[in-house]
């Protein structure tokens, strides 16, 4: 079974600084997707960034970027120029590739990292 | 924009009551999911559905059932609510087999 581990239950960052959230996963598959989701205190979960395992280039979305190390099964999220609105729970998630049967519909989540942004 | 709505933000029920949590999505997504979220445990999948009237058990289906009579609506049913089912319940939907999941705002259920 696939597992996702976020080893930092809580982190804090000074406004305008950079922070990196860690995520490792365990899988024997070669075709999969990885995601970072953000859940602000209002509780609506939104997608931050996604990475296809077959792509070597790291995904970026504005101030958010990932460091995807496939061999090490590591998928960290870097937030640059942190803003007060970045304060939230961040969840790393894994999903099998599109042609892996029923399992490809499901996301496996880590336990989350609570990020605080200090003004 | 995809919109996933849940019938209640907060719900208080008594032990033994039958509880219905409703979820509606407006983007014609094939797949719908129910999770529960507990502090320190992250999100755990209860059930999902990849088509009308189709359902699959997730990681923690015990004590729950689901219904999907229409494509846009996915209901989670607690046949006899218990205090250990006090939790945040999140609904999500996704298109096809490669789309990311879009989440609803959640229902905070308290069982007394």
């Amino acid at each position: 079974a696939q597992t996702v581990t976020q080893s930092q239950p809580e982190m804090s960052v000074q406004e305008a600084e950079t922070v990196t959230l860690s995520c490792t996963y365990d899988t024997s598959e070669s075709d999969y997707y990885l995601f970072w989701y953000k859940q602000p205190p209002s509780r609506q979960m939104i997608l931050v960034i996604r990475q296809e395992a077959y792509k070597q280039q790291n995904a970026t979305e504005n101030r958010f970027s990932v460091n995807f190390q496939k061999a090490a099964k590591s998928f960290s999220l870097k937030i640059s120029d942190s803003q007060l609105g970045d304060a939230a729970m961040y969840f790393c998630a894994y999903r099998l590739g599109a042609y892996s049967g029923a399992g490809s519909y499901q996301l496996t989540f880590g336990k989350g990292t609570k990020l605080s942004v200090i003004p | 924009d995809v919109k996933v709505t849940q019938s209640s933000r907060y719900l208080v029920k008594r032990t033994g009551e039958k509880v219905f949590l409703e979820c509606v999505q407006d983007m014609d997504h094939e797949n719908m999911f129910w999770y529960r979220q507990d502090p320190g445990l992250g999100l755990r999948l209860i059930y999902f559905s990849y088509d009308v009237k189709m359902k699959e058990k997730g990681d923690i289906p015990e004590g729950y059932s689901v219904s999907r009579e229409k494509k846009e609506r996915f209901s989670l049913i607690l046949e006899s609510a218990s205090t250990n089912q006090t939790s945040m319940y999140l609904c999500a939907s996704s298109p096809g087999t490669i789309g990311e999941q879009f989440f609803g705002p959640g229902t905070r259920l308290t069982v007394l």
Side-chain angles (χ1 to χ4, degrees), chain A residues 10-31:
Chain A
E10 295 188 27
M11 292 193 72
S12 62
V13 62
Q14 206 78 31
E15 197 175 2
E17 297 295 310
T18 296
V19 65
T20 299
L21 309 184
S22 301
C23 173
T24 58
Y25 57 95
D26 186 24
T27 184
S28 58
E29 304 291 334
S30 59
D31 180 23

Side-chain angles (χ1 to χ4, degrees), chain A residues 39-107:
Chain A
Q39 189 179 39
S42 65
R43 312 299 272 186
Q44 187 104 29
M45 188 95 70
I46 57 173
L47 180 69
V48 175
I49 201 163
R50 63 180 280 170
Q51 175 81 42
E52 290 86 351
Y54 62 84
K55 289 186 177 178
Q56 294 194 350
Q57 188 173 6
N58 288 327
T60 62
E61 287 288 340
N62 301 315
R63 299 182 295 107
F64 298 86
S65 61
V66 298
N67 183 6
F68 174 47
Q69 300 288 328
K70 192 171 184 179
K73 297 179 183 176
S74 171
F75 182 60
S76 59
L77 175 70
K78 185 172 83 170
I79 306 173
S80 304
D81 186 26
S82 297
Q83 301 174 0
L84 294 177
D86 295 333
M89 283 290 290
Y90 286 83
F91 292 95
C92 179
Y94 163 101
R95 202 200 73 209
L96 283 169
Y99 303 104
S100 302
S104 62
Y105 299 105
Q106 303 180 55
L107 287 175

